[in-house]
Amino acid sequence: MSAPGVAVRRAAIDALVRIDRDDAYANLVLPSVLDGAELDERDRHLVTELVYGSTRRRRSLDWLYAPFVHRELDPEVRAALRVGTYQLHLTDVPDHAAVSATVGAVGGRVRGFVNAVLRKVAAVDVTWPDDATRLSYPDWILDRLRGDLGEEDALASLEAMNEPAVTHRREDGYVQDLASQWVVELCDAQPGERVADLCAAPGGKSTGLARSGATVVAGDLRPSRVALVAANAERTGAAGVHALVADAAAPPFPDQTFDRVLVDAPCTGLGVLRRRADARWRGGPEDVERLAELQRRIVDAAVPLVRPGGLLVYSVCTLTAAETLGVDAHLAAAWPQLEPLPAPPEPWRPWGRGGLLLPQAAGADGMMILRLRRPA
């Protein structure tokens, strides 16, 4: 463990074992692994890249080493092969360093096996069998986005979401992607207004809205998630945020209570896969229609809360037509009196009556927004 880089690979392998074996979330596992490792800042960044990168690209990695493996793999060996293969084909780490440090990080009984496999992987001249394997996504995600966005935009979106996310920090210290910050700006909350954020956790948009001087009622279904909203409001000094447990599909508020209602709805999250390394491997195609039905119920419950002259804002961090254009079409049919505001300008593109932000357009999350005015 004293050789250069071995501790880094050991930490990455430990994290990947927990993600694979325990079906744990990468963003929850990684901090605890880093806290238990005595690493400098540069090495901590490398562990983060190895864990997130190997998690995102696991289909590609498994395909690369599979021809040289003819036995069942335990979680540690599988994690080591993924970490090693990731370095060999998707980073600038020299091959000899990638192999030696990774082999040094595993137990003695399997070192020979891991060494032999990785040396064969290093010599592979890669020819991918299909785009889903090359890009490392489940078939259903690629197929769905090809059908909904078209070939060029689908592939470009998936390519973009294989890149590490860029950190953006607001003036109050809160880390929030640009797409979410733009949603807050497009809500255009004014000082003294009453705003409802019906699906508020973890509270980034609620605290952003409160910075305008508005009073924000931030609801979420689970008490633990509401506690997270309250903690973020306290941490950012957003005194105007009032967090409470509430079902967005049956909100406990009188009609026409709010000047603005934001529905940042639960969704498949197919626009934020660069930040959620393991999300592409969770769920399946059945989630699209299930969540679209929930989104329709939530917006139907939200519309009556908007005062005359007020604004309903619907946003989702996904790219499927059912969760974007489909919900827009539902609102148009069920609530024809609502008046759409113009689509936001570039890098957004017109999408139904709203706007769509593709991940490749601005280095931000994929997002859809729709703004509807209730007549005075």
Side-chain angles (χ1 to χ4, degrees), residues 126-196:
V126 181
T127 302
W128 299 107
D130 51 59
D131 285 327
T133 304
R134 174 178 66 86
L135 296 170
S136 191
Y137 289 91
D139 290 343
W140 78 267
I141 292 180
L142 178 56
D143 293 343
R144 188 87 194 202
L145 295 189
R146 272 177 166 154
D148 290 349
L149 300 176
E151 178 83 5
E152 182 178 348
D153 284 336
L155 292 178
S157 293
L158 296 174
E159 291 268 16
M161 289 189 290
N162 275 338
E163 297 300 320
V166 177
T167 298
H168 296 278
R169 194 176 298 274
R170 300 186 324 207
E171 290 180 4
D172 59 7
Y174 190 86
V175 175
Q176 187 178 40
D177 188 79
L178 285 177
S180 293
Q181 294 188 45
W182 292 338
V183 167
V184 170
E185 292 174 8
L186 290 165
C187 287
D188 195 28
Q190 299 297 310
E193 288 188 335
R194 289 177 295 181
V195 179

Side-chain angles (χ1 to χ4, degrees), residues 48-49 52-61 86 90-91 128 130-138 141-142 154-166 270-278 280-281 359-360 364-365:
T48 300
E49 180 187 354
Y52 282 169
S54 297
T55 300
R56 288 189 196 99
R57 304 303 292 267
R58 76 181 196 193
R59 179 172 181 175
S60 305
L61 304 176
Y86 179 78
L90 293 167
T91 73
W128 299 107
D130 51 59
D131 285 327
T133 304
R134 174 178 66 86
L135 296 170
S136 191
Y137 289 91
I141 292 180
L142 178 56
L155 292 178
S157 293
L158 296 174
E159 291 268 16
M161 289 189 290
N162 275 338
E163 297 300 320
V166 177
L270 299 189
V272 294
L273 297 178
R274 81 172 88 211
R275 286 193 296 109
R276 301 175 186 172
D278 46 22
R280 69 188 67 189
W281 310 120
Q360 65 270 30
D365 287 344

Side-chain angles (χ1 to χ4, degrees), residues 154-358:
L155 292 178
S157 293
L158 296 174
E159 291 268 16
M161 289 189 290
N162 275 338
E163 297 300 320
V166 177
T167 298
H168 296 278
R169 194 176 298 274
R170 300 186 324 207
E171 290 180 4
D172 59 7
Y174 190 86
V175 175
Q176 187 178 40
D177 188 79
L178 285 177
S180 293
Q181 294 188 45
W182 292 338
V183 167
V184 170
E185 292 174 8
L186 290 165
C187 287
D188 195 28
Q190 299 297 310
E193 288 188 335
R194 289 177 295 181
V195 179
D197 184 357
L198 297 184
C199 310
K205 294 184 178 68
S206 294
T207 55
L209 290 163
R211 294 173 67 198
S212 70
T215 297
V216 181
V217 176
D220 212 274
L221 188 58
R222 289 183 286 172
S224 60
R225 301 275 286 165
V226 173
L228 187 58
V229 176
N232 280 324
E234 181 177 3
R235 184 166 59 84
T236 59
V241 173
H242 304 276
L244 76 163
V245 177
D247 184 353
F253 310 118
D255 289 354
Q256 302 184 19
T257 300
F258 298 100
D259 299 286
R260 297 169 200 275
V261 175
L262 171 62
V263 175
D264 186 48
C267 68
T268 52
L270 299 189
V272 294
L273 297 178
R274 81 172 88 211
R275 286 193 296 109
R276 301 175 186 172
D278 46 22
R280 69 188 67 189
W281 310 120
R282 300 181 185 275
E286 66 280 358
D287 292 336
V288 177
E289 293 305 329
R290 176 180 62 83
L291 287 164
E293 192 277 330
L294 175 60
Q295 292 153 6
R296 292 190 294 269
R297 288 197 290 118
I298 292 174
V299 294
D300 284 343
V303 172
L305 304 180
V306 182
R307 68 160 177 81
L311 192 67
L312 172 71
V313 178
Y314 173 75
S315 66
V316 280
C317 56
T318 195
L319 306 172
T320 71
E323 299 172 271
T324 57
L325 299 175
V327 175
D328 182 14
H330 169 78
L331 281 163
W335 304 93
Q337 70 273 34
L338 299 179
E339 302 167 351
L341 271 60
E346 291 185 351
W348 300 80
R349 64 169 62 179
W351 195 248
R353 298 181 297 168
L356 181 69
L357 183 68
L358 293 175

